């Protein structure tokens, strides 16, 4: 697999632990590594408390592993429309299928990671939690659903789970005393910079990639990593800690009839807090729930009802916090109460478009600026607007590296790769090509790129053409959707070349998709399934199994958003 040693189950025992110590199985399903990171913390804390620990990826967990009674700590994230992480698809199907194993005698607790601005918030956590119980396992601790700012809640869940398990198993709890301060994480070359302690990177350059007349605004941003010690690999992302738009914040404060300088304690004033600390645009269900309470409004309560889920979804589309505040005013609201209704401003992740090996002092990003109109207001994406309108070369912005184990070049430089990256989805493939060029990798490389117009939107055109000239890029297929009457998309180009795609995959090629996760990724997935059927002589079910195997063995990887 691309992410290195995927030993099915990594068993480990602390030297001073008797072999009779109770065992905890930390089981994770992770797309980009957040759930795996939490699982690593759980593993380390459990070891420190004297448990024996099995650390297992859902990708490598099946019926066989579920045969004996287990003490399970399950960490799983949710993606897209309530879907499992790619490596966990098979395990999710197993538990929900006819052949699901009985789990009597096992104990479990679930931690779900998700984003409350999505309708299917923590759906996978909910699914696994319900399924483990239905299959007969005993829930020893209630599920916890975490929003984007998950760290504290995750840590609390770990401590609670281990204490509870210590009591239940009567074994390891004794070792707990004084050892709960185990290091949060192990090994690796970790720089001091992190999500919570970001590096302030100088902006070296920020250029518009689209030409005049484009309806897109895609920016190429180069940041300096000089003296940061930050290291990244192709496929990783940069997390940017943004600030909210000052004009929007001022409008919001006016709409609330609050004083910008209201003191919130710890030296923070309202305006400053709204600029830096809290999400003030995106509407989440938890916000609407709190606002329904504060405004005591029947219409809002109705929209939150279980039967109104679809209506809620449509209603919240294009609607921001300020729109709700204006429509459903709350009399005599104080600043602290308002703040309590908000969630922390989450950093945003951007796939890295450069190779650290080519220039260790820089990191490049390809950012699609989000601007649109809704309900009579013009809106900007929080981070993309911040980058486009409030940041210039010479400024410093807070960043960290978000490592993504599930989007990695093959270890073997001779392995061919197929890359599908329309729009800003092309970013990591620029990093891939820079890296393969630097390494002198001999494997074939095939890019499918798409955007609206050839003339204005062919991102990094000269670089691709150059690489094709040099032979590094073996093949390049482009789909400019709006240069002709009929829409042509990357998946159409895939189908045109289905036979060769199939042949490449038979040769062992890895298949990568990056970009839009709302429709593109699903359409490309379907094209791949169809190609497997048509050229692999497989029926629908076998094609689906084959593609799932590609996903689980990390030969088919996605970075979609
Ligand atoms: P469109 O905007 O003309 O529909 C990058 O944004 C490119 O992805 C654009 O050419 C866009 O086309 C295209 N695109 C839009 N929806 C898509 C889909 N479902 N699958 C693949 N590409 C899509």
């Amino acid at each position: 697999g691309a992410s290195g040693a995927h030993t099915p189950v990594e068993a480990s025992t602390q030297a001073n632990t008797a072999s009779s110590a109770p065992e905890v199985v930390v089981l994770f399903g992770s797309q980009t590594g957040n759930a795996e990171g939490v699982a690593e913390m759980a593993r380390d804390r459990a070891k420190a408390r004297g448990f024996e620990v099995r650390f297992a990826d859902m990708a490598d967990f099946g019926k066989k592993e579920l045969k004996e009674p287990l003490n399970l700590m399950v960490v799983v994230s949710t993606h897209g429309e309530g879907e499992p992480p790619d490596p966990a698809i098979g395990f999710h199907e197993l538990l929900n299928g006819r052949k699901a194993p009985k789990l009597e005698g096992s104990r479990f607790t679930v931690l779900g990671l998700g984003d409350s601005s999505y309708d299917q918030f923590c759906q996978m956590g909910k699914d696994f939690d319900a399924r483990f119980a239905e299959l007969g396992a005993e829930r020893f601790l209630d599920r916890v659903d975490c929003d984007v700012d998950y760290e504290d809640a995750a840590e609390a869940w770990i401590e609670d789970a281990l204490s509870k398990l210590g009591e239940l198993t009567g074994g390891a709890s004794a070792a707990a005393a004084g050892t709960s301060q185990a290091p949060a994480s192990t090994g690796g070359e970790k720089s001091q910079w992190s999500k919570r302690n970001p590096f302030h990177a100088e902006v070296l350059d920020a250029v518009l990639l689209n030409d005049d007349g484009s309806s897109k605004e895609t920016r190429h941003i180069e940041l300096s990593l000089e003296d940061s010690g930050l290291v990244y690999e192709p496929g990783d992302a940069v997390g940017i800690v943004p600030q909210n738009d000052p004009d929007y914040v001022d409008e919001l404060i006016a709409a609330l009839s609050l004083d910008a300088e209201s003191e919130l304690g710890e030296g923070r004033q309202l305006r400053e807090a709204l600029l830096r600390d809290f999400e003030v645009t995106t509407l989440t269900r938890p916000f609407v729930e709190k606002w329904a309470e504060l405004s005591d409004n029947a219409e809002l309560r109705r929209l939150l009802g279980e039967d109104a889920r679809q209506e809620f979804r449509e209603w919240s589309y294009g609607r921001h916090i300020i729109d709700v505040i204006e429509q459903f005013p709350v009399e005599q609201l104080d600043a602290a109460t308002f703040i309590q209704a908000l969630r922390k401003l989450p950093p945003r992740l951007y796939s890295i478009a450069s190779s650290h090996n080519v220039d260790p002092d820089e990191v490049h990003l390809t950012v699609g600026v989000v601007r649109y109109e809704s309900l009579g207001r013009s809106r900007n994406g929080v981070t993309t607007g911040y980058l486009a309108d409030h940041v210039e070369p010479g400024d410093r912005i807070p960043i960290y590296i978000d490592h993504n184990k599930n989007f990695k070049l093959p270890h073997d430089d001779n392995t061919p790769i197929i890359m599908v990256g329309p729009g800003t989805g092309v970013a990591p493939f620029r990093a891939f090509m820079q890296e393969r060029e630097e390494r002198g990798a001999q494997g074939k490389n095939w890019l499918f790129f798409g955007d609206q117009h050839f003339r204005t939107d062919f991102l990094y055109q000269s670089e691709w053409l150059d690489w094709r000239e040099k032979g590094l890029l073996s093949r390049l297929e482009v789909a400019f959707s709006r240069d002709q009457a009929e829409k042509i998309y990357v998946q159409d180009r895939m189908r045109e070349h289905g036979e060769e795609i199939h042949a490449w995959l038979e040769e062992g090629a890895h298949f990568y998709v990056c970009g839009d996760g709302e429709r593109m990724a699903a359409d490309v997935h379907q094209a791949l399934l169809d190609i497997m059927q048509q050229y692999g002589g497989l029926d629908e079910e076998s094609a689906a199994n084959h593609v799932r195997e590609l996903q689980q063995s990390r030969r088919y990887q996605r970075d979609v958003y």
Side-chain angles (χ1 to χ4, degrees):
S3 49
H6 273 283
T7 37
V9 174
E10 177 194 314
S12 44
T13 314
Q14 264 208 332
N16 61 356
T17 318
S19 58
S20 62
E23 189 186 61
V24 179
V25 178
V26 179
L27 180 63
F28 64 91
S30 191
Q31 182 73 36
T32 64
N34 288 332
E36 184 170 355
V38 171
E40 282 168 358
M41 187 190 283
R43 173 196 63 197
D44 297 344
R45 298 273 169 104
K47 281 190 201 171
R49 285 185 182 230
F51 286 99
E52 257 194 66
V53 185
R54 263 205 280 167
F55 183 67
D57 188 331
M58 287 182 182
D60 310 311
F61 220 70
K63 242 181 151 144
K64 189 157 58 71
E65 285 72 21
L66 289 168
K67 273 225 167 76
E68 38 177 326
L70 303 171
N71 297 314
L72 286 156
M73 288 177 68
V74 181
V75 188
V76 66
S77 55
T78 298
H79 297 271
E81 302 289 304
E83 283 148 46
D86 287 339
I89 293 173
F91 187 67
H92 185 252
E93 276 185 14
L94 169 71
L95 288 197
N96 289 281
R98 278 179 290 110
K99 297 179 191 157
K102 288 273 171 286
L103 300 176
E104 268 107 17
S106 285
R107 301 188 180 97
F108 77 97
T109 181
V110 173
L111 181 80
L113 300 188
D115 180 337
S116 65
S117 66
Y118 286 84
D119 191 36
Q120 316 278 356
F121 175 53
C122 281
Q123 191 58 46
M124 278 309 112
K126 293 172 188 168
D127 273 19
F128 278 110
D129 187 52
R131 240 2 234 160
F132 277 113
E134 280 161 19
L135 294 170
E138 177 205 343
R139 184 186 292 108
F140 71 86
L141 180 70
D142 282 346
R143 186 187 77 239
V144 173
D145 296 334
C146 295
D147 207 341
V148 280
D149 182 41
Y150 60 87
E151 285 86 350
D152 290 344
E155 227 174 307
W157 172 82
I158 291 171
E159 294 303 331
D160 289 351
L162 293 173
S163 300
K164 202 78 203 260
L165 274 179
E167 287 165 26
L168 288 167
T169 58
S173 58
T179 57
S180 61
Q181 296 309 316
S185 186
T186 51
E189 11 56 43
K190 284 228 164 108
S191 132
Q192 60 171 310
W193 308 112
S194 65
K195 185 172 173 182
R196 292 193 164 182
N197 181 30
F199 173 68
H200 284 73
E202 185 183 342
V203 179
L204 299 172
D205 211 353
V207 294
L208 187 62
L209 293 176
N210 307 94
D211 281 314
D212 280 355
S214 174
S215 66
K216 295 283 191 85
E217 184 178 338
T218 318
R219 287 182 188 265
H220 174 74
I221 294 177
E222 303 191 348
L223 302 174
S224 171
L225 295 182
E226 218 178 317
D227 301 326
S228 68
L230 286 170
V231 176
Y232 62 87
E233 284 178 32
D236 289 343
V238 159
I240 297 187
V241 182
Q243 278 178 42
N244 286 304
D245 180 355
D247 294 337
Y248 180 93
V249 166
D250 290 335
E251 245 187 288
L252 187 65
I253 293 172
L256 291 161
S257 314
L258 285 172
D259 179 358
E261 274 142 43
S262 308
E263 295 290 343
L264 296 168
E266 291 174 23
R268 252 320 190 224
Q269 295 186 337
L270 179 66
R271 186 170 188 274
E272 201 57 19
L274 295 180
L275 276 175
R276 294 171 188 277
D277 302 339
F278 296 98
E279 182 155 87
V280 293
T281 50
T282 312
L283 203 55
T284 65
R285 213 177 161 84
F287 175 82
V288 179
E289 280 163 4
K290 290 190 187 111
W291 202 255
E293 246 173 68
L294 291 169
S295 61
D296 194 20
N297 183 283
E299 171 62 4
L300 280 181
R301 273 206 221 93
R302 190 187 65 76
L303 278 165
L304 287 162
E306 266 316 302
D307 339 326
R309 281 211 166 248
Q310 183 55 26
E311 197 186 337
F312 180 88
R313 199 180 179 145
E314 283 158 21
W315 173 82
S316 44
Y317 189 79
R319 197 174 293 265
H320 283 182
I321 284 177
I322 194 167
D323 305 303
V324 175
I325 284 168
E326 286 184 348
Q327 194 180 345
F328 305 98
V330 172
E331 302 295 323
Q332 294 183 325
L333 180 78
D334 64 273
T337 307
F338 177 61
I339 290 288
Q340 277 160 22
L342 304 174
R343 67 174 184 175
K344 291 238 180 80
L345 184 60
R348 304 303 204 270
L349 300 179
Y350 296 93
S351 310
I352 291 173
S354 57
S355 158
H356 190 260
N357 283 331
V358 172
D359 190 344
D361 281 342
E362 288 186 14
V363 65
H364 301 175
L365 307 176
T366 315
V367 176
V369 182
V370 178
R371 298 186 199 276
Y372 59 98
E373 282 248 341
S374 64
L375 304 170
R377 263 200 177 88
S378 50
R379 326 264 177 173
N380 295 329
V382 173
T383 308
T384 61
Y386 161 72
L387 289 172
D389 302 336
H390 298 279
V391 169
E392 320 185 327
D395 292 349
R396 286 179 173 268
I397 60 171
I399 67 156
Y400 61 96
I401 303 292
D402 192 79
H403 299 283
N404 183 351
K405 290 185 189 170
N406 287 336
F407 206 79
K408 285 283 159 280
L409 275 167
H411 283 295
D412 185 346
D413 280 344
N414 295 313
T415 303
I417 64 173
I418 301 170
M419 303 166 277
V420 181
T424 54
V426 82
F429 303 133
R430 182 176 182 264
F432 278 17
M433 287 305 89
Q434 285 190 357
E435 177 84 5
R436 280 200 143 185
E437 181 173 41
E438 179 73 14
R439 296 216 296 237
Q442 295 301 305
K444 294 184 291 181
N445 303 296
W446 189 353
L447 175 71
F448 289 82
F449 174 73
D451 215 319
Q452 292 181 354
H453 298 288
F454 168 76
R455 192 183 62 76
T456 56
D457 309 316
F458 195 169
L459 310 180
Y460 305 113
Q461 175 185 6
S462 60
E463 297 182 30
W464 302 119
L465 297 181
D466 218 38
W467 278 325
R468 196 173 59 172
E469 192 103 326
K470 287 178 180 162
L472 177 77
L473 194 60
S474 326
R475 306 199 51 171
L476 171 64
E477 252 62 57
V478 289
F480 291 102
S481 53
R482 303 190 189 190
D483 277 348
Q484 61 284 308
E486 301 279 297
K487 284 280 175 89
I488 299 176
Y489 289 151
V490 282
Q491 61 270 26
D492 301 315
R493 294 296 186 220
M494 281 173 60
R495 288 177 202 278
E496 288 170 23
H497 300 281
E499 191 168 357
E500 292 129 290
I501 289 179
H502 178 258
W504 278 51
L505 291 170
E506 288 291 289
E507 279 173 49
H510 286 210
F511 186 83
Y512 300 89
V513 183
C514 181
D516 171 60
E518 253 165 61
R519 286 157 50 224
M520 184 276 291
D523 293 348
V524 165
H525 186 83
Q526 188 57 52
L528 190 60
L529 289 169
D530 294 345
I531 286 168
M532 283 300 163
Q533 278 195 61
Q534 191 171 347
Y535 300 101
L538 301 174
D539 63 18
E540 200 177 328
E541 197 186 331
S542 322
N545 287 337
H546 188 74
V547 168
R548 184 163 3 78
E549 274 160 29
L550 289 176
Q551 283 179 306
Q552 301 225 160
S553 60
R554 270 77 168 177
R555 282 182 51 205
Y556 169 16
Q557 303 185 358
R558 298 195 284 190
D559 172 11
V560 299
Y561 36 84

